[in-house]
Amino acid sequence: MTVYGYSSSGNCHKLRLMLTQLRREFRWVEIDSTSGGTRTPEYLAKNPNGKVPMIEADDGRIMTESNAILCWLAEDTAFWSGDAWQRAQALSWMFFEQYSHEPYIAVARFIRGWTPLDSPRRADLPKLRERGQLALAVMELHLQQHPWFSGGDYGVADIALFAYTDVADEGGFDLAPYPAIRDWLLRVRRTPNFIAMPLPPVEAASRIALPD
Amino acid sequence: MTVYGYSSSGNCHKLRLMLTQLRREFRWVEIDSTSGGTRTPEYLAKNPNGKVPMIEADDGRIMTESNAILCWLAEDTAFWSGDAWQRAQALSWMFFEQYSHEPYIAVARFIRGWTPLDSPRRADLPKLRERGQLALAVMELHLQQHPWFSGGDYGVADIALFAYTDVADEGGFDLAPYPAIRDWLLRVRRTPNFIAMPLPPVEAASRIALPD
């Protein structure tokens, strides 16, 4: 299987993390989505929506959308277990991640690290910070009562939510007010064969180090 | 089962459509999310994310996120069938719907119908229109080759994508350039026990009738 992804993208790292934890073999093709890598005719022919990650099976079949790929990889494993209700609850958190979490927490990080310091998009940061904090508060409330987002055990929804929550500070989010989230991040980091997302590229890291 | 929903919301109508097509009994509690109905302490106690739709099982268990609820309802039915790959492909379209389609096509409709005519949010419409058209183009390309989004047959992903595509004109989208989408909308409308979304409330309808 081939994964097309940008290593500094949380959506892409989700796949690297789960594949590593499942001890599955894969080939990684680095696609820099921040500099047009998903807009080439070759890439668009495979994924007309022009986003990473994407997987290509050995028979050439394509699948897109990080969280759908996670579900496919997790089928018949402990990462997406339980009855239909429990599996749908994991999906519920994964839809929450894509609709109420990633568009604020990941996008704030992207703007801080991957846009010029004079980008007009930086004016969006206060609003993104506010909406992202609402998502963190919803997660905190859940984690005060439950150890994981995927039912009784660590699994698909934890991987989906971990990716950008673990680097929320790079978007300017302070996790100090969310002790249950901080504990959960530590629990995820201690799962077998855990692999962290690489540090951002130097130019992005130097922008992230600056105040807004 | 009780569904908490706002009848003019496509996300909520997805559930009414599938439940009706599955001939499942349900109680509908109307929650006007456009006037604070999801922000009451009672509602937030059940869904801290403050969104509709939400379902409450007879034993009091709660599930949120329209597309996760669709998957739960569709489990072991023809609406979410095929092998693991095909089921994950349906999920892929459902994540596409929530990330690349709804935030533009549904939000443009909401702004046009449910915000005052002098709302500053109306300045977002051209950008939303542009991004929504990209989503429609991706759908059109798929529908040129495949009759449905859920694998071989009509199912969960078709219901998820139908909801707001069918009322895209209310957001100012012209479907004339997308003949495959228009044919697919007709096919969905001809499925057994189909039920259309009710017309918007009078005030929203009168705003929608005006040019931007």
Side-chain angles (χ1 to χ4, degrees), chain A residues 107-182:
Chain A
V107 171
R109 172 177 175 264
F110 174 80
I111 290 174
R112 292 193 78 238
W114 283 264
T115 68
L117 293 175
D118 59 355
S119 166
R121 292 191 65 185
R122 288 174 183 258
D124 297 344
L125 286 171
K127 188 75 185 165
L128 295 173
R129 209 79 38 82
E130 188 187 309
R131 304 291 287 272
Q133 274 162 2
L134 290 177
L136 294 171
V138 170
M139 291 173 67
E140 178 75 10
L141 214 51
H142 174 81
L143 289 169
Q144 285 168 359
Q145 312 253 358
H146 309 276
W148 304 111
F149 289 101
S150 308
D153 288 302
Y154 170 75
V156 277
D158 297 285
I159 292 176
L161 280 162
F162 177 83
Y164 285 110
T165 308
D166 195 45
V167 291
D169 62 310
E170 296 177 357
F173 291 92
D174 176 12
L175 295 186
Y178 308 106
I181 291 180
R182 287 186 283 113

Side-chain angles (χ1 to χ4, degrees), chain B residues 117-139:
Chain B
L117 294 175
D118 59 356
S119 166
R121 292 191 65 184
R122 287 174 183 260
D124 297 344
L125 286 171
K127 187 75 185 165
L128 295 173
R129 208 78 40 79
E130 188 187 309
R131 303 291 287 272
Q133 274 161 3
L134 290 178
L136 294 171
V138 171
M139 290 173 67

Side-chain angles (χ1 to χ4, degrees), chain B residues 36-205:
Chain B
T38 52
R39 296 284 154 193
T40 65
E42 295 75 23
Y43 195 86
L44 288 170
K46 291 182 176 181
N47 178 5
N49 202 29
K51 296 195 192 310
V52 281
M54 161 177 90
I55 61 166
E56 187 170 16
D58 292 338
D59 62 7
R61 289 188 300 173
I62 298 287
M63 189 177 290
T64 62
E65 296 292 334
S66 60
N67 288 354
I69 298 167
L70 286 184
C71 287
W72 179 65
L73 292 171
E75 193 67 66
D76 297 323
T77 78
F79 285 178
W80 195 24
S81 60
D83 61 17
W85 180 272
Q86 289 168 315
R87 288 161 53 97
Q89 289 288 8
L91 281 181
S92 179
W93 282 111
M94 295 168 92
F95 281 108
F96 165 86
E97 190 263 336
Q98 286 288 287
Y99 195 87
S100 299
H101 180 286
E102 202 266 14
Y104 309 114
I105 293 177
V107 171
R109 172 176 174 264
F110 174 80
I111 290 174
R112 292 192 78 240
W114 282 263
T115 68
L117 294 175
D118 59 356
S119 166
R121 292 191 65 184
R122 287 174 183 260
D124 297 344
L125 286 171
K127 187 75 185 165
L128 295 173
R129 208 78 40 79
E130 188 187 309
R131 303 291 287 272
Q133 274 161 3
L134 290 178
L136 294 171
V138 171
M139 290 173 67
E140 179 75 11
L141 214 52
H142 175 81
L143 289 168
Q144 285 168 359
Q145 313 252 1
H146 308 276
W148 304 112
F149 290 101
S150 310
D153 289 303
Y154 170 74
V156 278
D158 297 284
I159 292 175
L161 280 163
F162 176 83
Y164 286 110
T165 308
D166 195 45
V167 292
D169 63 309
E170 297 177 357
F173 290 92
D174 177 12
L175 295 185
Y178 308 105
I181 291 180
R182 286 185 285 112
D183 284 351
W184 165 76
L185 291 173
L186 284 175
R187 282 197 299 283
V188 174
R189 289 184 157 270
R190 288 185 194 123
T191 55
N193 303 310
F194 172 84
I195 180 173
M197 185 149 68
L199 293 175
V202 173
E203 194 179 359

